[in-house]
Amino acid sequence: MKQVMVVTGGGRGIGAATALMASRRGYAVCINYLRDAQAAELLRAKIVAEGGEAIAVQADVGLEADVLRLFATVDAELGPLTALVNNVGVLERQCRLTEMSVERLQRVFTTNVVSYFLCSREAVRRMSTASGGQGGGIVNLSSGAARHGGANVYIDYAASKGAIDVLTLGLSKEVAAEGIRVNCVRPGIIYTDIHASGGDPDRVARLASTVPMQRGGQPEEIAETILWLLGPQSSYVSGAIVDAGGAR
Ligand code: NAP
C-alpha cells in the first residue's frame, strides 16, 4: 500500500528532517510551508533527485481555507493520505505573561493549536475506516515546555503545547477503533531556527549543560521517533506522549 504523508511546516527544522527520512523509507511526502518557498523547494528537489516522490505546498495551516486546499492538493497529486505529522510551531519574543498582547496570544494559539485540530480533522475524515478510509497515523509535536511551563520566557507557547498533549489523548481514544493511531513527541532543546525567532539564537548551546545527556538534540533524532510512532513497529501504541529530551 502506498504511504502518503503530510508534514506541516516541513520545509525547515524537525519537519524537514522528518520529510526527508520519510521519503527515504518509502513515503510520498507533502512538504507544507508558510513563507520559505526556497527551503521547501530545495528539499522537494533533493527528494525527487534521490528517486522519491514529493510536493511542496504553501498554506497557512492556521486558516481553514488553506488547510482544505492543502489536503485537496494531496488527494489529487499524491493519493490517499496515510500519515499526518502536525509539526508547525511558533515561538514569539521571550517575555513574562504581563507583557503578552492579545494579538500575540491569538497568533500562538492559532498556529500551534487550531492548526493541529484542523489538519487532524481533515486527516481523520480521509483515513478513518468508518468513512471508507484505510486507516493511518497522526503524530503531534508537543514540547518539554508543556512539562516545565515556560515561566519568564513563553508561558503561551508552553500552554499551547499542553493543549497538544490533551488533543493527543482525546483523539487517540476517539479514533482507536477506526484504524488510526494518534501519538505525540515532546522534544527537548533541538538545534533548529525556532530559537532565533524567540530572540535567543544560542539557546540550545547555552542550555546544553542543563540537559542530563549534556547536549542539545538533532532534528534527525526527533524524526526517528516520529517515524517509529507512524510505523508498524509501534502497532499497539496510541495516545502515547514520548519525551525526547535527553532526560531533561
Ligand atoms: P522551525 O525550525 O522554526 O520551523 C518551523 C516550520 O513551521 C517552518 O517550516 C515554517 O514555515 C512552518 N510554519 C510556521 N507557521 C506556519 C503556518 N502557520 N503554516 C504553515 N507552516 C508554518 O521549527 P522546529 O524547531 O523545527 O519545530 C518543529 C516543531 O517542534 C514545533 O511544533 C516546535 O514547537 C516543536 N519543538 C521544537 C523544539 C526545538 O528545540 N526546536 C523543542 C520542542 C518542540 P517556513 O519555513 O515557511 O517559515
mmCIF file of all heavy atoms in Angstrom, residues 201-241:
data_model
loop_
_atom_site.group_PDB
_atom_site.id
_atom_site.type_symbol
_atom_site.label_atom_id
_atom_site.label_comp_id
_atom_site.label_asym_id
_atom_site.label_seq_id
_atom_site.Cartn_x
_atom_site.Cartn_y
_atom_site.Cartn_z
ATOM 1 N N PRO A 201 18.969 32.993 19.690
ATOM 2 C CA PRO A 201 19.513 32.035 18.720
ATOM 3 C C PRO A 201 20.482 31.018 19.310
ATOM 4 O O PRO A 201 20.625 29.918 18.779
ATOM 5 C CB PRO A 201 20.224 32.942 17.696
ATOM 6 C CG PRO A 201 20.369 34.261 18.353
ATOM 7 C CD PRO A 201 19.269 34.384 19.345
ATOM 8 N N ASP A 202 21.139 31.381 20.422
ATOM 9 C CA ASP A 202 22.129 30.462 21.011
ATOM 10 C C ASP A 202 21.552 29.618 22.150
ATOM 11 O O ASP A 202 22.304 29.038 22.936
ATOM 12 C CB ASP A 202 23.337 31.263 21.526
ATOM 13 C CG ASP A 202 23.978 32.059 20.403
ATOM 14 O OD1 ASP A 202 24.014 31.530 19.265
ATOM 15 O OD2 ASP A 202 24.407 33.199 20.651
ATOM 16 N N ARG A 203 20.234 29.546 22.222
ATOM 17 C CA ARG A 203 19.582 28.893 23.362
ATOM 18 C C ARG A 203 20.040 27.441 23.564
ATOM 19 O O ARG A 203 20.295 27.018 24.692
ATOM 20 C CB ARG A 203 18.066 28.933 23.166
ATOM 21 C CG ARG A 203 17.258 28.350 24.326
ATOM 22 C CD ARG A 203 15.755 28.588 24.121
ATOM 23 N NE ARG A 203 14.950 27.986 25.178
ATOM 24 C CZ ARG A 203 14.783 28.499 26.383
ATOM 25 N NH1 ARG A 203 15.366 29.634 26.709
ATOM 26 N NH2 ARG A 203 14.043 27.882 27.298
ATOM 27 N N VAL A 204 20.143 26.692 22.472
ATOM 28 C CA VAL A 204 20.474 25.266 22.625
ATOM 29 C C VAL A 204 21.880 25.117 23.221
ATOM 30 O O VAL A 204 22.076 24.388 24.199
ATOM 31 C CB VAL A 204 20.363 24.507 21.287
ATOM 32 C CG1 VAL A 204 20.634 23.024 21.506
ATOM 33 C CG2 VAL A 204 18.965 24.698 20.687
ATOM 34 N N ALA A 205 22.847 25.841 22.647
ATOM 35 C CA ALA A 205 24.230 25.728 23.139
ATOM 36 C C ALA A 205 24.319 26.196 24.600
ATOM 37 O O ALA A 205 25.000 25.577 25.429
ATOM 38 C CB ALA A 205 25.157 26.549 22.255
ATOM 39 N N ARG A 206 23.586 27.282 24.905
ATOM 40 C CA ARG A 206 23.652 27.845 26.261
ATOM 41 C C ARG A 206 23.065 26.894 27.304
ATOM 42 O O ARG A 206 23.557 26.804 28.430
ATOM 43 C CB ARG A 206 22.902 29.190 26.276
ATOM 44 C CG ARG A 206 23.026 29.976 27.549
ATOM 45 C CD ARG A 206 22.588 31.427 27.328
ATOM 46 N NE ARG A 206 21.332 31.551 26.606
ATOM 47 C CZ ARG A 206 20.138 31.350 27.132
ATOM 48 N NH1 ARG A 206 20.022 31.034 28.399
ATOM 49 N NH2 ARG A 206 19.043 31.472 26.403
ATOM 50 N N LEU A 207 22.009 26.170 26.919
ATOM 51 C CA LEU A 207 21.321 25.311 27.889
ATOM 52 C C LEU A 207 21.784 23.850 27.843
ATOM 53 O O LEU A 207 21.328 23.030 28.639
ATOM 54 C CB LEU A 207 19.805 25.369 27.670
ATOM 55 C CG LEU A 207 19.146 26.722 27.957
ATOM 56 C CD1 LEU A 207 17.643 26.647 27.718
ATOM 57 C CD2 LEU A 207 19.427 27.181 29.389
ATOM 58 N N ALA A 208 22.692 23.549 26.920
ATOM 59 C CA ALA A 208 23.084 22.138 26.727
ATOM 60 C C ALA A 208 23.568 21.494 28.028
ATOM 61 O O ALA A 208 23.275 20.325 28.302
ATOM 62 C CB ALA A 208 24.157 22.044 25.644
ATOM 63 N N SER A 209 24.273 22.257 28.850
ATOM 64 C CA SER A 209 24.823 21.667 30.073
ATOM 65 C C SER A 209 23.741 21.382 31.123
ATOM 66 O O SER A 209 23.997 20.676 32.096
ATOM 67 C CB SER A 209 25.900 22.578 30.669
ATOM 68 O OG SER A 209 25.301 23.800 31.056
ATOM 69 N N THR A 210 22.518 21.929 30.916
ATOM 70 C CA THR A 210 21.418 21.637 31.852
ATOM 71 C C THR A 210 20.693 20.342 31.477
ATOM 72 O O THR A 210 19.815 19.887 32.190
ATOM 73 C CB THR A 210 20.383 22.784 31.882
ATOM 74 O OG1 THR A 210 19.703 22.827 30.614
ATOM 75 C CG2 THR A 210 21.050 24.129 32.146
ATOM 76 N N VAL A 211 21.027 19.805 30.324
ATOM 77 C CA VAL A 211 20.418 18.542 29.875
ATOM 78 C C VAL A 211 21.228 17.397 30.485
ATOM 79 O O VAL A 211 22.450 17.385 30.371
ATOM 80 C CB VAL A 211 20.453 18.447 28.324
ATOM 81 C CG1 VAL A 211 19.857 17.134 27.849
ATOM 82 C CG2 VAL A 211 19.745 19.642 27.697
ATOM 83 N N PRO A 212 20.575 16.446 31.143
ATOM 84 C CA PRO A 212 21.341 15.337 31.725
ATOM 85 C C PRO A 212 22.287 14.660 30.727
ATOM 86 O O PRO A 212 23.392 14.257 31.095
ATOM 87 C CB PRO A 212 20.250 14.395 32.241
ATOM 88 C CG PRO A 212 19.145 15.341 32.622
ATOM 89 C CD PRO A 212 19.162 16.410 31.562
ATOM 90 N N MET A 213 21.895 14.571 29.462
ATOM 91 C CA MET A 213 22.808 13.997 28.457
ATOM 92 C C MET A 213 23.906 14.967 28.047
ATOM 93 O O MET A 213 24.759 14.616 27.216
ATOM 94 C CB MET A 213 22.035 13.545 27.209
ATOM 95 C CG MET A 213 21.313 12.229 27.364
ATOM 96 S SD MET A 213 20.712 11.693 25.728
ATOM 97 C CE MET A 213 19.655 10.335 26.236
ATOM 98 N N GLN A 214 23.830 16.209 28.552
ATOM 99 C CA GLN A 214 24.890 17.215 28.306
ATOM 100 C C GLN A 214 24.988 17.692 26.869
ATOM 101 O O GLN A 214 26.044 18.124 26.410
ATOM 102 C CB GLN A 214 26.270 16.678 28.760
ATOM 103 C CG GLN A 214 26.344 16.344 30.229
ATOM 104 C CD GLN A 214 26.307 17.616 31.082
ATOM 105 O OE1 GLN A 214 27.168 18.467 30.983
ATOM 106 N NE2 GLN A 214 25.273 17.745 31.904
ATOM 107 N N ARG A 215 23.866 17.639 26.138
ATOM 108 C CA ARG A 215 23.883 18.146 24.762
ATOM 109 C C ARG A 215 22.467 18.437 24.296
ATOM 110 O O ARG A 215 21.494 17.903 24.849
ATOM 111 C CB ARG A 215 24.531 17.126 23.811
ATOM 112 C CG ARG A 215 23.765 15.821 23.670
ATOM 113 C CD ARG A 215 24.408 14.915 22.619
ATOM 114 N NE ARG A 215 23.684 13.656 22.454
ATOM 115 C CZ ARG A 215 22.632 13.460 21.655
ATOM 116 N NH1 ARG A 215 22.149 14.460 20.940
ATOM 117 N NH2 ARG A 215 22.040 12.288 21.562
ATOM 118 N N GLY A 216 22.353 19.319 23.273
ATOM 119 C CA GLY A 216 21.078 19.503 22.591
ATOM 120 C C GLY A 216 20.834 18.343 21.642
ATOM 121 O O GLY A 216 21.733 17.533 21.386
ATOM 122 N N GLY A 217 19.610 18.293 21.115
ATOM 123 C CA GLY A 217 19.271 17.204 20.201
ATOM 124 C C GLY A 217 19.351 17.645 18.750
ATOM 125 O O GLY A 217 19.329 18.835 18.440
ATOM 126 N N GLN A 218 19.436 16.688 17.858
ATOM 127 C CA GLN A 218 19.434 16.963 16.420
ATOM 128 C C GLN A 218 18.037 16.670 15.847
ATOM 129 O O GLN A 218 17.354 15.751 16.321
ATOM 130 C CB GLN A 218 20.472 16.085 15.704
ATOM 131 C CG GLN A 218 21.909 16.369 16.108
ATOM 132 C CD GLN A 218 22.343 17.802 15.765
ATOM 133 O OE1 GLN A 218 21.835 18.416 14.826
ATOM 134 N NE2 GLN A 218 23.283 18.338 16.547
ATOM 135 N N PRO A 219 17.620 17.436 14.830
ATOM 136 C CA PRO A 219 16.299 17.201 14.231
ATOM 137 C C PRO A 219 16.091 15.746 13.810
ATOM 138 O O PRO A 219 14.988 15.207 13.933
ATOM 139 C CB PRO A 219 16.297 18.136 13.012
ATOM 140 C CG PRO A 219 17.264 19.214 13.353
ATOM 141 C CD PRO A 219 18.316 18.588 14.221
ATOM 142 N N GLU A 220 17.172 15.101 13.346
ATOM 143 C CA GLU A 220 17.038 13.706 12.883
ATOM 144 C C GLU A 220 16.667 12.762 14.040
ATOM 145 O O GLU A 220 16.025 11.724 13.816
ATOM 146 C CB GLU A 220 18.342 13.229 12.233
ATOM 147 C CG GLU A 220 18.667 13.908 10.900
ATOM 148 C CD GLU A 220 19.132 15.359 11.039
ATOM 149 O OE1 GLU A 220 19.565 15.754 12.154
ATOM 150 O OE2 GLU A 220 19.055 16.101 10.040
ATOM 151 N N GLU A 221 17.073 13.112 15.255
ATOM 152 C CA GLU A 221 16.736 12.243 16.396
ATOM 153 C C GLU A 221 15.238 12.307 16.700
ATOM 154 O O GLU A 221 14.635 11.324 17.151
ATOM 155 C CB GLU A 221 17.560 12.666 17.622
ATOM 156 C CG GLU A 221 19.057 12.454 17.415
ATOM 157 C CD GLU A 221 19.868 12.847 18.637
ATOM 158 O OE1 GLU A 221 20.074 14.050 18.861
ATOM 159 O OE2 GLU A 221 20.268 11.933 19.393
ATOM 160 N N ILE A 222 14.646 13.471 16.433
ATOM 161 C CA ILE A 222 13.189 13.607 16.607
ATOM 162 C C ILE A 222 12.467 12.924 15.439
ATOM 163 O O ILE A 222 11.455 12.236 15.636
ATOM 164 C CB ILE A 222 12.796 15.095 16.715
ATOM 165 C CG1 ILE A 222 13.599 15.782 17.830
ATOM 166 C CG2 ILE A 222 11.291 15.231 16.952
ATOM 167 C CD1 ILE A 222 13.483 15.134 19.201
ATOM 168 N N ALA A 223 13.010 13.092 14.240
ATOM 169 C CA ALA A 223 12.399 12.448 13.066
ATOM 170 C C ALA A 223 12.332 10.925 13.251
ATOM 171 O O ALA A 223 11.328 10.288 12.914
ATOM 172 C CB ALA A 223 13.191 12.797 11.804
ATOM 173 N N GLU A 224 13.398 10.337 13.802
ATOM 174 C CA GLU A 224 13.406 8.883 14.045
ATOM 175 C C GLU A 224 12.251 8.484 14.959
ATOM 176 O O GLU A 224 11.584 7.467 14.735
ATOM 177 C CB GLU A 224 14.724 8.456 14.721
ATOM 178 C CG GLU A 224 15.935 8.416 13.813
ATOM 179 C CD GLU A 224 15.995 7.157 12.947
ATOM 180 O OE1 GLU A 224 15.044 6.359 12.954
ATOM 181 O OE2 GLU A 224 17.016 7.004 12.253
ATOM 182 N N THR A 225 12.019 9.278 15.996
ATOM 183 C CA THR A 225 10.950 8.976 16.955
ATOM 184 C C THR A 225 9.588 9.082 16.280
ATOM 185 O O THR A 225 8.702 8.232 16.469
ATOM 186 C CB THR A 225 11.044 9.945 18.151
ATOM 187 O OG1 THR A 225 12.393 9.985 18.606
ATOM 188 C CG2 THR A 225 10.140 9.506 19.287
ATOM 189 N N ILE A 226 9.428 10.136 15.462
ATOM 190 C CA ILE A 226 8.156 10.334 14.744
ATOM 191 C C ILE A 226 7.886 9.142 13.816
ATOM 192 O O ILE A 226 6.778 8.588 13.788
ATOM 193 C CB ILE A 226 8.216 11.651 13.930
ATOM 194 C CG1 ILE A 226 8.256 12.858 14.878
ATOM 195 C CG2 ILE A 226 7.039 11.749 12.957
ATOM 196 C CD1 ILE A 226 8.617 14.178 14.199
ATOM 197 N N LEU A 227 8.906 8.735 13.082
ATOM 198 C CA LEU A 227 8.700 7.644 12.117
ATOM 199 C C LEU A 227 8.445 6.314 12.806
ATOM 200 O O LEU A 227 7.671 5.483 12.317
ATOM 201 C CB LEU A 227 9.875 7.576 11.141
ATOM 202 C CG LEU A 227 9.807 8.710 10.114
ATOM 203 C CD1 LEU A 227 11.084 8.830 9.312
ATOM 204 C CD2 LEU A 227 8.628 8.518 9.162
ATOM 205 N N TRP A 228 9.064 6.122 13.962
ATOM 206 C CA TRP A 228 8.758 4.906 14.727
ATOM 207 C C TRP A 228 7.278 4.902 15.148
ATOM 208 O O TRP A 228 6.582 3.893 15.028
ATOM 209 C CB TRP A 228 9.662 4.813 15.970
ATOM 210 C CG TRP A 228 9.345 3.603 16.794
ATOM 211 C CD1 TRP A 228 9.668 2.310 16.521
ATOM 212 C CD2 TRP A 228 8.573 3.579 18.010
ATOM 213 N NE1 TRP A 228 9.153 1.479 17.501
ATOM 214 C CE2 TRP A 228 8.485 2.225 18.419
ATOM 215 C CE3 TRP A 228 7.963 4.562 18.792
ATOM 216 C CZ2 TRP A 228 7.808 1.837 19.578
ATOM 217 C CZ3 TRP A 228 7.285 4.178 19.943
ATOM 218 C CH2 TRP A 228 7.220 2.827 20.325
ATOM 219 N N LEU A 229 6.794 6.069 15.584
ATOM 220 C CA LEU A 229 5.395 6.152 16.033
ATOM 221 C C LEU A 229 4.405 5.972 14.879
ATOM 222 O O LEU A 229 3.246 5.623 15.106
ATOM 223 C CB LEU A 229 5.139 7.487 16.738
ATOM 224 C CG LEU A 229 5.724 7.589 18.148
ATOM 225 C CD1 LEU A 229 5.675 9.031 18.642
ATOM 226 C CD2 LEU A 229 4.997 6.652 19.125
ATOM 227 N N LEU A 230 4.840 6.218 13.647
ATOM 228 C CA LEU A 230 3.956 6.030 12.491
ATOM 229 C C LEU A 230 4.084 4.632 11.891
ATOM 230 O O LEU A 230 3.231 4.217 11.112
ATOM 231 C CB LEU A 230 4.289 7.075 11.410
ATOM 232 C CG LEU A 230 3.865 8.506 11.744
ATOM 233 C CD1 LEU A 230 4.453 9.485 10.727
ATOM 234 C CD2 LEU A 230 2.349 8.647 11.809
ATOM 235 N N GLY A 231 5.137 3.919 12.243
ATOM 236 C CA GLY A 231 5.435 2.662 11.567
ATOM 237 C C GLY A 231 4.838 1.436 12.234
ATOM 238 O O GLY A 231 4.283 1.512 13.339
ATOM 239 N N PRO A 232 4.964 0.280 11.583
ATOM 240 C CA PRO A 232 4.363 -0.959 12.088
ATOM 241 C C PRO A 232 4.988 -1.450 13.396
ATOM 242 O O PRO A 232 4.347 -2.182 14.138
ATOM 243 C CB PRO A 232 4.615 -1.954 10.950
ATOM 244 C CG PRO A 232 5.729 -1.387 10.152
ATOM 245 C CD PRO A 232 5.637 0.094 10.282
ATOM 246 N N GLN A 233 6.220 -0.998 13.696
ATOM 247 C CA GLN A 233 6.876 -1.438 14.942
ATOM 248 C C GLN A 233 6.136 -0.939 16.182
ATOM 249 O O GLN A 233 6.301 -1.473 17.273
ATOM 250 C CB GLN A 233 8.329 -0.950 15.006
ATOM 251 C CG GLN A 233 9.237 -1.499 13.920
ATOM 252 C CD GLN A 233 9.173 -0.688 12.632
ATOM 253 O OE1 GLN A 233 8.337 0.194 12.462
ATOM 254 N NE2 GLN A 233 10.062 -1.016 11.699
ATOM 255 N N SER A 234 5.318 0.118 16.028
ATOM 256 C CA SER A 234 4.591 0.666 17.189
ATOM 257 C C SER A 234 3.091 0.392 17.078
ATOM 258 O O SER A 234 2.272 1.183 17.551
ATOM 259 C CB SER A 234 4.845 2.174 17.304
ATOM 260 O OG SER A 234 4.335 2.846 16.164
ATOM 261 N N SER A 235 2.735 -0.752 16.469
ATOM 262 C CA SER A 235 1.333 -1.006 16.104
ATOM 263 C C SER A 235 0.343 -1.010 17.274
ATOM 264 O O SER A 235 -0.850 -0.811 17.069
ATOM 265 C CB SER A 235 1.242 -2.337 15.350
ATOM 266 O OG SER A 235 1.847 -3.361 16.116
ATOM 267 N N TYR A 236 0.833 -1.222 18.513
ATOM 268 C CA TYR A 236 -0.105 -1.239 19.659
ATOM 269 C C TYR A 236 0.040 0.025 20.512
ATOM 270 O O TYR A 236 -0.456 0.087 21.633
ATOM 271 C CB TYR A 236 0.136 -2.498 20.500
ATOM 272 C CG TYR A 236 -1.043 -2.906 21.366
ATOM 273 C CD1 TYR A 236 -2.323 -3.044 20.827
ATOM 274 C CD2 TYR A 236 -0.878 -3.155 22.727
ATOM 275 C CE1 TYR A 236 -3.397 -3.425 21.617
ATOM 276 C CE2 TYR A 236 -1.945 -3.539 23.532
ATOM 277 C CZ TYR A 236 -3.213 -3.666 22.965
ATOM 278 O OH TYR A 236 -4.280 -4.041 23.755
ATOM 279 N N VAL A 237 0.719 1.045 19.965
ATOM 280 C CA VAL A 237 0.961 2.293 20.700
ATOM 281 C C VAL A 237 0.036 3.375 20.163
ATOM 282 O O VAL A 237 0.094 3.724 18.985
ATOM 283 C CB VAL A 237 2.433 2.751 20.532
ATOM 284 C CG1 VAL A 237 2.674 4.061 21.279
ATOM 285 C CG2 VAL A 237 3.384 1.666 21.006
ATOM 286 N N SER A 238 -0.844 3.900 21.012
ATOM 287 C CA SER A 238 -1.646 5.071 20.637
ATOM 288 C C SER A 238 -1.978 5.856 21.893
ATOM 289 O O SER A 238 -2.143 5.282 22.974
ATOM 290 C CB SER A 238 -2.914 4.656 19.890
ATOM 291 O OG SER A 238 -3.478 5.798 19.256
ATOM 292 N N GLY A 239 -2.044 7.167 21.752
ATOM 293 C CA GLY A 239 -2.269 8.033 22.906
ATOM 294 C C GLY A 239 -0.999 8.238 23.724
ATOM 295 O O GLY A 239 -1.042 8.772 24.834
ATOM 296 N N ALA A 240 0.148 7.864 23.161
ATOM 297 C CA ALA A 240 1.416 7.984 23.895
ATOM 298 C C ALA A 240 2.022 9.372 23.721
ATOM 299 O O ALA A 240 1.924 9.985 22.658
ATOM 300 C CB ALA A 240 2.411 6.941 23.400
ATOM 301 N N ILE A 241 2.641 9.851 24.782
ATOM 302 C CA ILE A 241 3.388 11.112 24.733
ATOM 303 C C ILE A 241 4.837 10.746 25.026
ATOM 304 O O ILE A 241 5.174 10.356 26.146
ATOM 305 C CB ILE A 241 2.844 12.116 25.760
ATOM 306 C CG1 ILE A 241 1.388 12.456 25.418
ATOM 307 C CG2 ILE A 241 3.708 13.376 25.779
ATOM 308 C CD1 ILE A 241 0.685 13.334 26.434
#
